[in-house]
Amino acid sequence: MALQNDYQDVLEVAKTVGAKVESREENGKLILKGSVDHAWDRDRIWDQIKAKHANWQQEIMVNLTVTNAEPYGLYTVKSGDTLGKLAKDIYGDVKLYPKIFEANKDQLKDPDKIKVGQVLKLPPKSIAQA
């Protein structure tokens, strides 16, 4: 149970993104197995693991199935968000905001006019960075 406690932050991220995971300790490792809706959800779990746990390679094994191949993820717009901010936060480059706009042309007419509560599709990293 020590590793479960040590990785509580990761389990919280998994819960936040809606992952359906089971966790158990076995042979000195924490094993997380389950599914997530989108690749972005999986990546956020991995980002948490790598950011906070120096010995993660020896301590945790993760097996997550992504149930939806596309889009890369879904994002609900919050107050203060812009497409540029999302592109920077998600892809690491503010200049990729047009890719998010293109993926959401069915609901966006202007990249500068997004509304709180809108659910935006996030294009796959490979498309966004191409």
Side-chain angles (χ1 to χ4, degrees), residues 55-121:
N55 297 320
W56 67 269
Q57 291 155 318
Q58 291 81 35
E59 297 176 338
I60 191 167
M61 184 170 58
V62 180
N63 183 356
L64 294 173
T65 302
V66 176
T67 56
N68 297 303
E70 299 235 356
Y72 173 62
L74 297 175
Y75 180 84
T76 303
V77 176
K78 297 176 186 63
S79 180
D81 282 340
T82 65
L83 293 185
K85 179 182 180 302
L86 295 180
K88 173 75 170 144
D89 292 348
I90 295 165
Y91 304 110
D93 187 349
V94 69
K95 295 177 197 161
L96 295 175
Y97 81 87
K99 301 291 187 171
I100 300 172
F101 177 67
E102 289 295 320
N104 290 281
K105 278 199 157 185
D106 60 328
Q107 62 177 322
L108 298 177
K109 303 302 175 217
D110 183 329
D112 295 324
K113 295 183 180 173
I114 61 174
K115 297 177 187 157
V116 172
Q118 276 182 308
V119 178
L120 301 177
K121 297 176 288 293

Side-chain angles (χ1 to χ4, degrees), residues 20-63:
K20 298 161 192 75
V21 297
E22 296 177 7
S23 62
R24 69 180 189 282
E25 290 187 36
E26 186 177 297
N27 299 324
K29 282 197 175 207
L30 178 63
I31 299 173
L32 293 181
K33 185 176 181 178
S35 65
V36 292
D37 288 338
H38 301 281
W40 186 46
D41 303 327
R42 177 204 57 215
D43 292 352
R44 289 188 285 172
I45 293 169
W46 273 111
D47 289 347
Q48 184 69 25
I49 291 168
K50 292 174 183 177
K52 303 283 182 171
H53 302 278
N55 297 320
W56 67 269
Q57 291 155 318
Q58 291 81 35
E59 297 176 338
I60 191 167
M61 184 170 58
V62 180
N63 183 356

